Amino acid sequence: MFFIALFGLITAKNAIKTIVFTLVMQTAVIMFWLFLSGRTGTIPPIIYDPALLYDMAAIADPTPQALMLTAIIIGISVTAIKITMLNYLFRRYNTADWELMHKLSAQEEAENPYS
Amino acid sequence: MLTYFVIIPVLIAVFLFVFATNKAARVLAILFQSVFVILSLYLLWETRSGEIVVVIGDYDGFMGILLRAYTTSAVFMVLCGIIFLAVAVYSFNQSDSRTFWFLLFILQSALVGLFLTRDLFNIFVLVEVATVIVTILLMYDKKRRNMLPGLIFLMLNIVAMLLYLFGIGYIYMLTGVFDILRAGELLAYAYPGDLVIPYALIMTGIAFKCSIIPIFSFLPKVKLYPKAPSAVAAILSGVQIKTMVYMFIRMQEMFGGFSSHSLFLAVGIAASLTGVIMAICQTDIKMILAYHTMSQVGLIIIGLSAGNEYSMLGGLYHIISHATFKSALFLSAGIIVHSYGTRDVYKIRGVLRRMPVVGLVTLFAVLGITGAPLFIGSISKYFIAATVPFWLNATVVIISLGTIISFIKYAGVLFGKDPGIEGIAVKPDIWRVVPSAALGAFCLVGGIFGGFLVNFLFAADAVIDTWGYIEKALIFFASMGAGLLIYKYIVYGNATLKRIGGLNLGFRSVCASMAAFFGLMVIFVGLF
């Protein structure tokens, strides 16, 4: 999944698609982390069961899950910033295509160099 | 005590944003920055008698988050404080809003946290915070048309940090701890085959962030510099990249014997060579400086990966010297651009006559970066090349030659006749001259007392061999002559070079190159 997303990042022409692929990549990393914490047969660490309280092998490792919450929050906020910036660019150039955006910004640059 | 270094800047940021008026905010900001410098100097003094470790939360051992201050990190904190103080003074009259100070303090908190933390996941969080804030600082002025390179910069950095996050997942799977030192101890027992993928993932992320992968990692960043405010450019080039170099050192330490020094030696050489070649091709004064960041970071990586004590010291000292002269150059370039109204290196002439102090600062910093004897760059370059094999020594000399050529072009702005046309010809703002002048003066001081400073800061006892140093000085003058000739007959006004300098890569090609580098690393590390 991670490398599918990487492939997507390389090939996607549209900036919106690129943002979506970054999200896919992030989900892949989060899934990987959750896979680290939960082996088959373990229970989630929020279920309170006195019998299993001190049985480390039965409870899934809560640390990666806690960390992934942080990572998800970071991902959301960063995506918000990216979309805001893209929105600004879209209003300016009227396109979300990487190559067209590059071309238009290079034109602007050529019209008014060193300023 | 270490916790306060991270928390208090955040509190101050909020305080300034909510309570202070715009005018009061800038005075208070400078005051706090000065206090920060003094406190970090005190911390440096404390670490002399042993490292300080603080556990956040009441957990024993490696369950909590550990902060650790030792000599190197304390030195970097002092450096960070000094550059931020200079930037704060520089922006005194320039920034009329509290938002700037707010962002500046949050950024400082994140960078200090990066220098202190021992926790792998904290590094991820703090780097993301720093990236976002730097992006916002660069986007701050919408008129500057910085949005497209800014978006590419942000997205690529996010991808690089996702690679890093994936890598630390593997580390956690193998060791079960997030503490860098403890993970390092445990990884020594791991089966080497298991380490290939995490090493490649983490180092691709880090190498991308400190822009040592030749060209493609730096190209998106370099487009940002010309239009960025000089103060932000100074922070970006002076401190932010240094935090990633520091991460590079620690990651190499964490992987211990597994880490590949020869690969990064090659990468460093490639980075510095491409950096100087691209710098020679530029005609925009800020672009020249930006590409030199890449070449100097490459030189630092050469020093760190060469694998002997002296080169390591040289690499560490070069971090300090690069931060000093590059901030001095960026700050003075800001004044020059403001006064002349253009960034074309061929159009600006006669800075020494129009603004003597700024001209002198530029001259000192240029001498520093080219490694002129008695200036700060010469000491670190001497240490990097002191005990390395001949071919590496020759490479360093070639890199210096390239540096000299492009800075002959840069120093052209100092002399000649003042065009006086586009100039706004105002007297330069005293608040902007003073910090640049202080940093420029340090280029000379750090060179003259270089040997003493290296030993004092890094608690080492390295000796500068007088004859070796004189030999280096002779090489410098020889390459100065060669550089002048090459510049006059080949570089000046060459159209082909200008075309190379205009090279541009889009987001997709950069991503492809990152993936290629990752693949290369897996193959290289897996085989050797």
Side-chain angles (χ1 to χ4, degrees), chain B residues 57-137:
Chain B
D58 291 331
Y59 295 103
D60 293 338
F62 303 105
M63 294 290 280
I65 295 170
L66 274 76
L67 296 181
R68 167 176 178 245
Y70 63 112
T71 321
T72 317
S73 62
V75 169
F76 285 143
M77 276 178 63
V78 175
L79 184 71
C80 175
I82 289 172
I83 304 285
F84 268 86
L85 177 62
V87 165
V89 177
Y90 185 85
S91 320
F92 187 77
N93 271 343
Q94 199 177 17
S95 72
D96 44 356
S97 99
R98 287 164 293 172
T99 323
F100 175 78
W101 299 112
F102 176 74
L103 292 171
L104 200 69
F105 274 98
I106 301 271
L107 179 63
Q108 187 176 20
S109 157
L111 296 182
V112 167
L114 277 174
F115 285 133
L116 289 178
T117 186
R118 263 174 72 169
D119 188 275
L120 285 168
F121 192 75
N122 266 10
I123 293 172
F124 167 74
V125 175
L126 291 170
V127 168
E128 295 273 316
V129 170
T131 310
V132 168
I133 288 176
V134 163
T135 320
I136 297 173
L137 275 173

Side-chain angles (χ1 to χ4, degrees), chain A residues 33 84 111:
Chain A
W33 275 76
T84 318
E111 281 161 16

